[in-house]
Amino acid sequence: KTLNPSLRILAHGVIVRVGSDDDPLEEKPYFGAWGPALRQVSEWMDRVERGGDKDRLEQAISAVPADILEDWLGTRERNHQMHLKALELLHEGVLNRLHLTLDDTTPYGLAALDRRRLEARMDALHLWDRAEIYPGADEVSACLLARAIVWDKRVKDKRISVKVVYPSSTSHLTTTLFEDRPLGELVSAHLRACGCVEVSSAQTFTLYVNAPATRQGHTQPDFETVDTSARFLPGFAECVSEALERSKNTVLADVAYPNGAEKRLMKLLENAPLHRLVGYAAWNTAGNTLGSAIATAVCVLEGQIECARVEALFSRLVDDWIYQAEVRSKVWNALEQPSIFDLGDLKAQAESEIELRMKPAALELWNKHFALEYPNLMLEWNGSSLAWPRLFTGVFPLEVKNV
């Protein structure tokens, strides 16, 4: 920055999560045994700061070995100090923008406590015009790319305008499983992160958010909280289809369930012109899905490169719909339900089972929705693999090329 003062630096950091699973591989090695107890410490440290019962916190602390608690809290403190330093760099003008995001957060816990402390520092330094703090993680780089692309438009007060459509009048109040706020507030946060503004009309694109009426469900179908009479999914699917038929700039973010598309919605959309979507996502958390779908749309509309749009869209449909919603559970059952944390010696067999199912399904999707519409484009399928020895993250390095 000293050598090039005009260099524009957009940065992000992730506030360390408190794992919701007792995962000894992705989290600290001791988290498999001590995860539940550490979550209690996390919750009551936050509750006590809000006036909660101090005795409950002491009980929670006494249930965890001192060396484990020291290491776990020490890791969080290093993370917190790094973010405080990043705020100083933003204040000094070294950074031009900073997004601090909460990974897999909850209304109560250490992440919420860290958020409040960082917000207090942002207040003191008057940084709210240059910084954001909201739930998210994996998608943030894409959001900052979108933000960088529209940087000059925001300076000229020509922000990308977005109309948001839900399947229920109460969907904006939905409780999501890995965030700390109602869905409507989460949508607004991710629109801001990507340099967009929500409007009721005259929009650049329309964001269709498939969501429950009350709360996200873990397993499909969930007739208690997702697939209920408070949400008329066929009507929502019809609106999406009609918008696509009119070639409107249409984005679909599916957050009815975490970790994959809602199968019923995709069945309702099976004859819709899905190839016209300018953004789509249905993966992992609601924040991951919203941020990546919005960011993709911004990049597509600003870039206007059809081959790149088709590749990005098809990649998400392959991963979020075919793999996460359909194939992953079938492979898990075919392997006789191994550990969700570590496949061990089953990794090679798992990848073979995945490829056996993914390749024909992906080719069918391409031939049905894309091949005839884009005769100048070809799909190159480059196989399937796993990022780690677990089924959670599939890797499908496909390419869409000009003929």
Side-chain angles (χ1 to χ4, degrees), residues 85-162:
K85 180 58 179 176
L87 289 174
E88 295 295 333
L89 292 174
L90 183 65
H91 180 62
E92 294 166 7
V94 177
L95 303 179
N96 296 88
R97 187 153 197 91
L98 177 65
H99 289 194
L100 300 177
T101 60
L102 299 95
D103 185 18
D104 292 2
T105 191
T106 54
Y108 287 96
L110 284 170
L113 191 152
D114 288 343
R115 172 182 55 76
R116 292 196 301 275
R117 292 175 177 175
L118 290 168
E119 286 176 339
R121 189 59 180 156
M122 291 162 68
D123 286 345
L125 297 176
H126 306 286
L127 295 177
W128 284 103
D129 61 333
R130 287 169 281 166
E132 303 280 355
I133 184 165
Y134 60 95
D138 308 63
E139 79 297 330
V140 187
S141 295
C143 293
L144 286 178
L145 175 61
R147 187 88 187 201
I149 288 172
V150 300
W151 187 277
D152 292 330
K153 285 193 172 186
R154 286 188 57 82
V155 171
K156 298 173 183 176
D157 198 26
K158 295 180 180 179
R159 291 180 291 179
I160 291 180
S161 56
V162 182

Side-chain angles (χ1 to χ4, degrees), residues 18 60 71 92 101 155 163 194 197 227 336 379 403:
V18 178
D71 177 78
E92 294 166 7
T101 60
V155 171
K163 180 180 179 180
C194 293
V197 60
D227 210 356
E336 299 183 353
L379 170 66
V403 176

Side-chain angles (χ1 to χ4, degrees), residues 196-385:
C196 302
V197 60
E198 186 174 348
V199 297
S200 58
S201 62
Q203 66 274 14
T204 308
F205 66 83
T206 302
L207 173 65
Y208 290 87
V209 181
N210 180 39
T214 55
R215 180 174 62 81
Q216 271 189 317
H218 278 287
T219 305
Q220 302 188 45
D222 186 326
F223 299 122
E224 187 65 31
T225 65
V226 180
D227 210 356
T228 68
S229 59
R231 179 189 72 149
F232 185 55
L233 193 59
F236 177 77
E238 184 177 6
C239 288
V240 174
S241 295
E242 289 177 351
L244 290 170
E245 291 286 355
R246 296 194 303 271
S247 297
K248 296 293 185 181
N249 290 334
T250 303
V251 181
L252 177 58
D254 186 351
V255 299
Y257 298 89
N259 304 320
E262 182 178 7
K263 290 183 277 190
R264 185 180 175 219
L265 174 64
M266 300 314 290
K267 182 68 175 176
L268 290 167
L269 291 174
E270 64 180 352
N271 293 318
L274 297 176
H275 63 278
R276 292 178 178 170
L277 283 166
V278 297
Y280 170 78
W283 63 297
N284 289 21
T285 67
N288 295 158
T289 284
L290 289 165
S292 55
I294 297 166
T296 300
V298 171
C299 293
V300 164
L301 294 173
E302 292 297 309
Q304 298 292 329
I305 302 173
E306 191 72 335
C307 184
R309 179 191 70 82
V310 172
E311 182 177 285
L313 170 60
F314 190 73
S315 295
R316 288 257 65 94
L317 288 167
V318 163
D319 193 345
D320 305 3
W321 177 18
I322 298 177
Y323 181 66
Q324 294 189 37
E326 301 286 353
V327 168
R328 185 166 53 193
S329 61
K330 293 175 183 176
V331 172
W332 185 62
N333 286 319
L335 297 175
E336 299 183 353
Q337 303 181 356
S339 167
I340 62 172
F341 301 128
D342 189 0
L343 289 170
D345 296 337
L346 292 173
K347 182 174 183 286
Q349 182 183 348
E351 290 178 329
S352 177
E353 293 282 351
I354 292 169
E355 175 67 3
L356 184 68
R357 292 165 173 80
M358 287 299 300
K359 184 176 181 178
L363 293 178
E364 180 182 357
L365 176 65
W366 177 262
N367 290 330
K368 179 176 180 178
H369 285 282
F370 293 86
L372 295 178
E373 301 294 336
Y374 304 106
N376 61 316
L377 300 178
M378 63 172 287
L379 170 66
E380 184 175 294
W381 180 259
N382 296 311
S384 308
S385 63

Side-chain angles (χ1 to χ4, degrees), residues 154-191:
R154 286 188 57 82
V155 171
K156 298 173 183 176
D157 198 26
K158 295 180 180 179
R159 291 180 291 179
I160 291 180
S161 56
V162 182
K163 180 180 179 180
V164 182
V165 177
Y166 299 99
S168 169
S169 61
T170 60
S171 287
H172 67 289
L173 301 174
T174 286
T175 300
T176 56
L177 295 176
F178 300 102
E179 285 85 18
D180 61 357
R181 62 200 65 190
L183 178 59
E185 294 302 313
L186 187 65
V187 170
S188 296
H190 282 273
L191 287 172

